[in-house]
Coordinates of all heavy atoms in Angstrom, one line a residue:
K1 N 1.7 6.2 1.7 CA 3.1 6.4 1.6 C 3.7 6.2 2.9 O 4.7 5.5 3.1 CB 3.5 7.5 0.9 CG 5.0 7.9 0.7 CD 5.3 9.1 0.0 CE 6.8 9.3 -0.1 NZ 7.1 10.6 -0.9
L2 N 3.1 6.9 4.0 CA 3.6 6.8 5.2 C 3.6 5.2 5.9 O 4.5 4.7 6.6 CB 2.9 7.7 6.3 CG 3.0 9.1 6.0 CD1 2.2 10.0 6.9 CD2 4.6 9.6 6.3
A3 N 2.4 4.7 5.7 CA 2.1 3.3 6.2 C 3.1 2.3 5.5 O 3.7 1.5 6.2 CB 0.7 2.9 5.9
V4 N 3.1 2.3 4.2 CA 4.0 1.4 3.5 C 5.6 1.6 3.9 O 6.4 0.7 4.1 CB 3.8 1.4 2.0 CG1 4.9 0.7 1.2 CG2 2.4 0.9 1.7
A5 N 6.0 2.8 3.9 CA 7.3 3.2 4.4 C 7.7 2.7 5.7 O 8.8 2.2 6.0 CB 7.6 4.7 4.2
H6 N 6.7 2.8 6.6 CA 6.9 2.2 8.0 C 7.1 0.8 8.0 O 8.0 0.3 8.7 CB 5.7 2.7 8.9 CG 5.7 2.0 10.3 ND1 6.7 2.1 11.2 CD2 4.8 1.1 10.7 CE1 6.5 1.4 12.2 NE2 5.2 0.8 12.1
L7 N 6.3 0.0 7.2 CA 6.4 -1.4 7.2 C 7.6 -1.8 6.4 O 8.3 -2.8 6.9 CB 5.3 -2.1 6.5 CG 3.8 -1.8 7.3 CD1 2.6 -2.3 6.3 CD2 3.8 -2.6 8.6
Y8 N 7.9 -1.1 5.3 CA 9.2 -1.5 4.7 C 10.3 -1.3 5.5 O 11.3 -2.1 5.5 CB 9.4 -0.5 3.5 CG 10.4 -1.0 2.5 CD1 10.2 -1.8 1.4 CD2 11.7 -0.3 2.7 CE1 11.3 -2.2 0.7 CE2 12.7 -0.7 1.7 CZ 12.5 -1.6 0.9 OH 13.5 -1.9 -0.1
A9 N 10.5 -0.2 6.4 CA 11.6 0.0 7.3 C 11.7 -1.0 8.3 O 12.7 -1.3 8.8 CB 11.4 1.4 7.9
L10 N 10.6 -1.8 8.6 CA 10.7 -2.8 9.6 C 11.1 -4.0 9.0 O 11.4 -5.0 9.7 CB 9.3 -3.0 10.1 CG 8.8 -1.8 11.2 CD1 7.2 -2.1 11.5 CD2 9.5 -1.8 12.5
G11 N 11.1 -4.1 7.6 CA 11.6 -5.3 7.0 C 10.5 -6.1 6.3 O 10.8 -7.1 5.6
H12 N 9.3 -5.5 6.2 CA 8.2 -6.1 5.5 C 8.4 -6.0 4.0 O 8.7 -4.9 3.4 CB 6.9 -5.6 5.9 CG 6.5 -5.9 7.4 ND1 6.0 -7.2 7.7 CD2 6.7 -5.4 8.5 CE1 5.8 -7.2 9.0 NE2 6.2 -6.1 9.4
R13 N 8.2 -7.1 3.2 CA 8.3 -7.0 1.7 C 7.1 -7.7 1.1 O 6.7 -7.7 0.0 CB 9.5 -7.8 1.3 CG 10.8 -7.2 1.7 CD 11.1 -5.8 1.2 NE 12.3 -5.2 1.7 CZ 12.5 -4.6 2.8 NH1 11.4 -4.1 3.5 NH2 13.7 -4.1 3.1
R14 N 6.2 -8.3 2.0 CA 5.0 -9.0 1.5 C 3.7 -8.2 2.2 O 3.4 -8.7 3.3 CB 4.9 -10.5 1.7 CG 6.2 -11.0 1.1 CD 6.0 -12.4 1.0 NE 5.9 -13.2 2.3 CZ 6.8 -13.5 3.0 NH1 8.1 -13.2 2.7 NH2 6.6 -14.1 4.2
I15 N 3.2 -7.1 1.6 CA 2.3 -6.3 2.3 C 0.8 -6.5 1.4 O 1.0 -6.1 0.3 CB 2.7 -4.8 2.3 CG1 4.1 -4.7 3.1 CG2 1.7 -4.1 3.1 CD1 4.7 -3.4 3.0
A16 N -0.2 -6.7 2.2 CA -1.5 -6.8 1.6 C -2.3 -5.5 2.0 O -1.8 -4.7 2.8 CB -2.3 -8.0 2.1
H17 N -3.5 -5.4 1.3 CA -4.2 -4.2 1.5 C -5.7 -4.6 1.6 O -6.2 -5.2 0.8 CB -4.1 -3.1 0.4 CG -4.8 -1.8 0.5 ND1 -4.8 -1.1 1.7 CD2 -5.6 -1.2 -0.5 CE1 -5.6 -0.1 1.5 NE2 -6.0 0.0 0.2
L18 N -6.3 -4.1 2.7 CA -7.9 -4.0 2.9 C -8.3 -2.7 2.3 O -8.2 -1.7 3.0 CB -8.2 -4.4 4.2 CG -8.2 -5.8 4.7 CD1 -8.4 -5.8 6.3 CD2 -9.3 -6.6 3.9
A19 N -8.8 -2.7 1.1 CA -9.3 -1.4 0.5 C -10.7 -0.9 0.7 O -11.5 -1.9 1.2 CB -9.1 -1.6 -1.1
G20 N -11.0 0.3 0.8 CA -12.2 0.8 1.0 C -13.2 0.6 -0.2 O -12.7 0.1 -1.3
P21 N -14.4 0.8 0.1 CA -15.5 0.5 -1.0 C -15.0 1.3 -2.2 O -14.7 2.6 -2.1 CB -16.7 0.8 -0.4 CG -16.5 0.8 1.1 CD -15.1 1.1 1.3
A22 N -15.2 0.8 -3.5 CA -14.8 1.4 -4.7 C -15.6 2.7 -5.0 O -15.3 3.4 -5.8 CB -14.8 0.5 -5.8
Q23 N -16.8 2.7 -4.5 CA -17.7 3.9 -4.8 C -17.2 5.1 -4.0 O -17.9 6.2 -4.4 CB -19.2 3.4 -4.5 CG -19.6 3.4 -3.1 CD -19.6 2.0 -2.6 OE1 -18.7 1.1 -3.0 NE2 -20.4 1.6 -1.7
F24 N -16.4 5.0 -3.1 CA -16.0 6.1 -2.4 C -14.7 6.7 -2.8 O -13.8 5.8 -3.1 CB -16.1 6.0 -1.0 CG -17.4 5.6 -0.3 CD1 -17.5 4.5 0.6 CD2 -18.5 6.3 -0.7 CE1 -18.8 4.1 1.1 CE2 -19.6 6.1 -0.1 CZ -20.0 5.0 0.6
S25 N -14.4 8.0 -2.9 CA -13.2 8.5 -3.4 C -12.1 8.1 -2.5 O -10.9 7.7 -2.9 CB -13.2 10.1 -3.4 OG -13.4 10.6 -2.1
T26 N -12.2 7.9 -1.2 CA -11.3 7.5 -0.2 C -10.8 6.1 -0.6 O -9.6 5.8 -0.4 CB -11.8 7.4 1.2 OG1 -13.1 7.0 1.2 CG2 -12.0 9.0 1.7
G27 N -11.8 5.2 -0.8 CA -11.4 3.8 -1.3 C -10.5 3.7 -2.5 O -9.4 3.0 -2.5
V28 N -10.9 4.5 -3.4 CA -10.1 4.6 -4.7 C -8.7 5.1 -4.5 O -7.5 4.7 -4.9 CB -10.8 5.2 -5.7 CG1 -9.9 5.5 -7.0 CG2 -12.1 4.6 -6.1
A29 N -8.8 6.4 -3.7 CA -7.4 7.0 -3.7 C -6.5 6.3 -2.7 O -5.3 6.3 -3.0 CB -7.7 8.6 -3.1
R30 N -7.0 5.6 -1.7 CA -6.0 4.9 -0.8 C -5.5 3.7 -1.5 O -4.3 3.3 -1.2 CB -6.8 4.6 0.5 CG -7.0 5.8 1.4 CD -7.9 5.6 2.6 NE -8.3 7.1 2.9 CZ -9.3 7.2 4.0 NH1 -9.8 6.1 4.5 NH2 -9.7 8.4 4.4
L31 N -6.4 3.0 -2.3 CA -5.8 1.8 -3.1 C -4.7 2.3 -4.0 O -3.6 1.6 -4.2 CB -7.0 1.1 -3.8 CG -6.5 0.0 -4.7 CD1 -5.7 -1.0 -4.0 CD2 -7.7 -0.6 -5.4
E32 N -4.9 3.3 -4.8 CA -4.0 3.9 -5.7 C -2.7 4.3 -5.0 O -1.7 4.0 -5.5 CB -4.6 5.0 -6.5 CG -5.7 4.7 -7.4 CD -6.3 5.9 -8.1 OE1 -6.0 7.0 -7.6 OE2 -7.0 5.7 -9.2
G33 N -2.9 5.0 -3.7 CA -1.7 5.4 -3.0 C -1.0 4.2 -2.6 O 0.4 4.2 -2.5
F34 N -1.6 3.2 -2.1 CA -0.9 1.9 -1.7 C 0.0 1.4 -2.7 O 1.1 1.0 -2.6 CB -2.0 0.9 -1.2 CG -1.5 -0.5 -0.9 CD1 -0.8 -0.8 0.4 CD2 -1.7 -1.5 -1.7 CE1 -0.2 -1.9 0.6 CE2 -1.1 -2.7 -1.5 CZ -0.5 -3.0 -0.3
R35 N -0.7 1.1 -3.9 CA 0.1 0.7 -5.0 C 1.2 1.5 -5.5 O 2.3 1.0 -5.8 CB -1.0 0.4 -6.2 CG -1.9 -0.9 -6.0 CD -2.8 -1.1 -7.1 NE -3.5 -2.4 -6.8 CZ -4.6 -2.7 -7.3 NH1 -5.3 -1.8 -8.0 NH2 -5.1 -4.0 -7.2
A36 N 1.1 2.9 -5.3 CA 2.2 3.6 -5.7 C 3.3 3.6 -4.7 O 4.4 3.6 -5.1 CB 1.7 5.1 -5.9
A37 N 2.8 3.5 -3.5 CA 4.0 3.4 -2.4 C 4.8 2.0 -2.7 O 6.1 1.9 -2.4 CB 3.4 3.4 -1.1
L38 N 4.0 0.9 -2.9 CA 4.7 -0.3 -3.2 C 5.7 -0.3 -4.4 O 6.8 -0.6 -4.2 CB 3.7 -1.5 -3.4 CG 2.9 -2.0 -2.3 CD1 2.1 -3.1 -2.8 CD2 3.7 -2.3 -1.0
Q39 N 5.2 0.3 -5.4 CA 6.0 0.5 -6.7 C 7.3 1.4 -6.2 O 8.4 1.1 -6.8 CB 5.2 1.3 -7.8 CG 5.9 1.4 -9.0 CD 5.2 1.9 -10.0 OE1 4.1 2.5 -9.9 NE2 5.7 1.8 -11.4
Q40 N 7.1 2.4 -5.4 CA 8.3 3.2 -5.0 C 9.5 2.4 -4.3 O 10.5 2.8 -4.5 CB 7.8 4.4 -4.1 CG 8.8 5.3 -3.8 CD 8.3 6.5 -2.9 OE1 7.1 6.5 -2.6 NE2 9.2 7.4 -2.4
H41 N 8.9 1.5 -3.5 CA 9.9 0.6 -2.8 C 10.2 -0.7 -3.6 O 11.1 -1.6 -3.2 CB 9.3 0.2 -1.4 CG 9.2 1.4 -0.6 ND1 10.3 1.9 0.1 CD2 8.0 2.1 -0.1 CE1 10.0 2.9 0.9 NE2 8.6 3.0 0.8
G42 N 9.7 -0.8 -4.8 CA 10.1 -1.9 -5.7 C 9.6 -3.3 -5.2 O 10.3 -4.3 -5.3
I43 N 8.4 -3.3 -4.6 CA 7.8 -4.7 -4.0 C 6.5 -4.9 -4.7 O 5.8 -3.9 -5.0 CB 7.8 -4.7 -2.6 CG1 7.0 -3.5 -1.9 CG2 9.2 -4.7 -2.0 CD1 6.8 -3.6 -0.4
E44 N 6.2 -6.1 -4.7 CA 4.8 -6.5 -5.2 C 3.8 -6.5 -4.2 O 4.1 -6.8 -2.9 CB 4.9 -7.9 -5.9 CG 5.9 -8.0 -7.2 CD 6.0 -9.3 -7.7 OE1 5.7 -10.3 -6.8 OE2 6.3 -9.6 -8.7
E45 N 2.5 -6.4 -4.5 CA 1.5 -6.4 -3.6 C 1.3 -7.9 -3.2 O 1.2 -8.7 -4.0 CB 0.1 -5.7 -4.0 CG -0.4 -6.5 -5.3 CD -1.6 -5.6 -5.8 OE1 -1.5 -4.4 -6.1 OE2 -2.7 -6.3 -6.1
A46 N 0.9 -8.1 -2.0 CA 0.7 -9.6 -1.6 C -0.8 -9.8 -1.3 O -1.1 -10.7 -0.5 CB 1.4 -9.8 -0.1

C-alpha cells in the first residue's frame, strides 16, 4: 500500500510487479497486497 501510494502520488498509473516465489507466504501476501493497492487507486496492473 505504501509503495503503490507513493508511485501513484508521483503520477504513475501503469505499475508492474516483480512478485516473490509463490511457495512463500511473503510472495503471496505481497502480490495480494499489490493488487489490493492498485484496486484502491482504481488502476489496472501493468
